[in-house]
Amino acid sequence: MSSSTTLYGGAQGRRVTVRDLAAAKERGERWAMLTAYDAMTARVFDEAGIPVLLVGDSAGMVVYGHESTLPVTVDDLLPLTAAVVRGSSRALVVADLPFGSYQASPAQALESAARFMKEAGAHAVKLEGGRRILPQVETLVSAGVPVMAHLGLTPQSVNVFGGYRVQGRGQAGDELMADAKDLERAGAFSVVLECVPGDLAQRVTTSLAIPTIGIGAGAATDAQVLVWQDLMGLTPRPAKFVKQYADLAATMDRAARAYADDVRSGAFPSPEHTYT
């Protein structure tokens, strides 16, 4: 399979689209999605060939320092989304609709999504929930907004779940499967499956024509997503499903200490870093 026809590595000379993701599923091609919250990080991931970037409400924790995603607002995420769009050139940029910005009604969902599309340049939005949000999904899709769905552990509902715990065991797995099929029929172009048993994620993936994106859902999904700070080793206590591919926390600590030492000793700035 040549690089000109594969999704991974990005489309050639244009943005990745939801049609590209559908075609990748038909080919059996898996792909990676990462979060991004600023232009410089988005550029690095875009040039690395990551085809989808998610401006997640996880910004609540990793950008704004909250204990959960719940305090994040549309106004918090709009400038982050705009920055990721500006910093990338090939990736499909998906914006999270934060808690309280779509649950009330389809009209509220469309108003929020329209702001992300018009003011920030997002290419799609993501929202959490199953059958209860089908009217919102249908309204958004009919208005021309691509929708990424999200099932399983939906962090905006953490207080209902009683904490961050695995979802979809037993009868709840059948309910999740029904939700996934309903979301597909409503027009969602993909569905995130978070913290669900691997066998359930495999059954959902096999049953749907749209791509599934796993996070803590095993290896059988069509794609995987991670929060980039987890991937890079910046998170002190990552979840079980996280594989750390770097230790940026240690690298940054060493660099900051070395810089401070050089400043104290007078070694920085040296003549080579001084204008004459």
Side-chain angles (χ1 to χ4, degrees):
M1 198 179 294
S2 70
S3 60
S4 62
T5 59
T6 58
L7 174 68
Y8 197 81
Q12 304 301 305
R14 62 169 174 83
R15 294 272 185 181
V16 172
T17 69
V18 297
R19 291 181 57 131
D20 294 322
L21 303 183
K25 172 145 186 161
E26 292 179 7
R27 292 194 302 268
E29 181 187 354
R30 292 176 175 170
W31 45 275
M33 178 165 79
L34 280 174
T35 63
Y37 314 96
D38 66 271
M40 294 184 72
T41 306
R43 178 178 57 80
V44 172
F45 296 158
D46 194 60
E47 292 180 355
I50 302 299
V52 183
L53 296 176
L54 170 67
V55 187
D57 58 6
S58 47
M61 285 95 78
V62 299
V63 176
Y64 293 112
H66 298 298
E67 292 185 356
S68 74
T69 66
L70 297 181
V72 177
T73 67
V74 170
D75 287 336
D76 287 334
L77 293 183
L78 279 172
L80 307 187
T81 304
V84 170
V85 171
R86 288 192 294 265
S88 60
S89 61
R90 297 189 300 175
L92 175 79
V93 178
V94 181
D96 249 340
L97 294 189
F99 179 72
S101 70
Y102 62 92
Q103 287 92 343
S105 67
Q108 184 198 33
L110 181 55
E111 180 181 358
S112 299
R115 292 194 66 193
F116 279 105
M117 306 284 281
K118 294 174 69 172
E119 297 176 34
H123 310 119
V125 299
K126 181 172 77 66
L127 61 167
E128 299 179 0
R131 277 160 281 187
R132 63 183 172 80
I133 61 155
L134 290 178
Q136 283 89 329
V137 175
E138 291 169 349
T139 294
L140 291 176
V141 172
S142 65
V145 180
V147 173
M148 177 180 287
H150 187 156
L151 293 172
L153 174 58
T154 48
Q156 292 176 13
S157 302
V158 64
N159 291 326
V160 174
F161 294 147
Y164 297 96
R165 55 186 73 220
V166 175
Q167 304 295 312
R169 288 179 170 145
Q171 182 179 347
D174 296 332
E175 295 173 0
L176 188 146
M177 173 71 79
D179 281 344
K181 290 182 176 179
D182 285 343
L183 287 163
E184 179 180 43
R185 282 191 288 268
F189 73 87
S190 61
V191 58
V192 173
L193 301 174
E194 180 167 357
C195 286
V196 302
D199 58 341
L200 173 61
Q202 183 173 23
R203 287 195 289 123
V204 173
T205 300
T206 302
S207 300
L208 298 184
I210 61 175
T212 58
I213 304 159
I215 176 166
T221 53
D222 299 301
Q224 298 288 332
V225 61
L226 284 176
V227 172
W228 82 258
Q229 289 89 343
D230 292 346
L231 174 93
M232 300 293 182
L234 288 176
T235 306
R237 292 174 298 279
K240 170 185 173 67
F241 56 76
V242 172
K243 178 177 179 180
Q244 293 184 314
Y245 285 81
D247 189 359
L248 291 194
T251 299
M252 293 171 72
D253 180 82
R254 285 194 300 270
R257 291 176 186 272
Y259 164 66
D261 288 344
D262 280 358
V263 170
R264 283 192 292 266
S265 69
F268 178 82
S270 63
E272 66 180 299
H273 302 113
T274 302
Y275 295 106
T276 58

